[in-house]
Amino acid sequence: MVKSLVTGLCLAVFAAVIIGLSNLLGLDLEHVALLGAALGGVLGLVPHRPAWGKVVGFLVGFLLAWLGFALRAAVLPDSSSGRAVAAFVVVALIAVVAAVSRGRLPLWSGLVGAASIVGAYESVYTNAPSQFLSESPAAATTVLLAVGLGFLATNLLAAQTDSSTPGTVRRTNGKPTKRAEASGSNTNLDDLVTGATK
């Protein structure tokens, strides 16, 4: 409970810092500060092995969704059918990448990556589809910066709390080397999926 509160407060501070940086550096981060901090927090908090897999999965989903906007701008009609085709292609490709990677690049992180660019750029794209080449890079870089700061916040905090938490399950080559204490067993999602805990 305390860890969740501290992590949430840390993310709140980082969201405020993102907005402060936006004003200080003349960047357009205000509208993506909460979105980026929240999605970066999710990316940092959800456990996955290997750890780099969730980051690469995020970037793949982000890139595929950005290419979905390019597909809409270049080929598809600006209608609900065009948006439906683009959404289908993007989500299907993210699922294929996750399947081909055999779970190393998790589906959820690819979807988070797609959601970040869509959340930051969809309204801008809707207002001016013909400005895709000039507007989308700015939206992409601003939301990536916000996500990166949110990810950094949760990882810095997790590194400090994990080293001081008693009964944490440690792993060597995917196998537990120390069991959680019976009084305070902490089972994470990866352990449930792999069946490492009983």
Side-chain angles (χ1 to χ4, degrees):
M1 182 174 80
V2 173
K3 182 178 177 181
S4 296
L5 177 61
V6 172
T7 303
L9 290 176
C10 187
L11 277 171
V13 168
F14 267 65
V17 166
I18 291 168
I19 294 173
L21 280 174
S22 176
N23 291 332
L24 184 66
L25 302 175
L27 302 173
D28 187 22
L29 292 172
E30 290 93 346
H31 68 286
V32 297
L34 182 57
L35 172 71
L39 293 179
V42 168
L43 193 62
L45 288 171
V46 177
H48 180 74
R49 294 178 188 90
W52 56 263
K54 61 183 178 180
V55 176
V56 175
F58 171 88
L59 293 174
V60 167
F62 186 93
L63 178 63
L64 288 173
W66 183 80
L67 291 174
F69 280 113
L71 182 66
R72 285 171 60 184
V75 178
L76 297 174
D78 190 22
S79 64
S80 57
S81 62
R83 287 187 288 275
V85 169
F88 174 82
V89 169
V90 169
V91 175
L93 287 175
I94 292 170
V96 168
V97 168
V100 169
S101 73
R102 296 183 181 180
R104 290 183 186 88
L105 309 183
L107 177 62
W108 66 264
S109 70
L111 296 174
V112 168
S116 64
I117 185 64
V118 171
Y121 182 59
E122 179 67 40
S123 61
V124 176
Y125 176 84
T126 301
N127 291 334
S130 61
Q131 301 299 314
F132 169 76
L133 290 176
S134 60
E135 298 287 343
S136 66
T141 53
T142 54
V143 76
L144 281 176
L145 177 59
V147 168
L149 288 173
F151 181 74
L152 179 66
T154 54
N155 275 297
L156 287 177
L157 197 63
Q160 292 176 356
T161 56
D162 283 350
S163 62
S164 63
T165 303
T168 301
V169 176
R170 301 286 182 218
R171 293 179 169 270
T172 304
N173 297 328
K175 295 184 178 180
T177 57
K178 179 184 171 189
R179 284 287 181 196
E181 294 173 2
S183 60
S185 178
N186 292 329
T187 303
N188 67 31
L189 184 59
D190 286 345
D191 292 332
L192 291 173
V193 171
T194 59
T197 59
K198 296 179 181 178

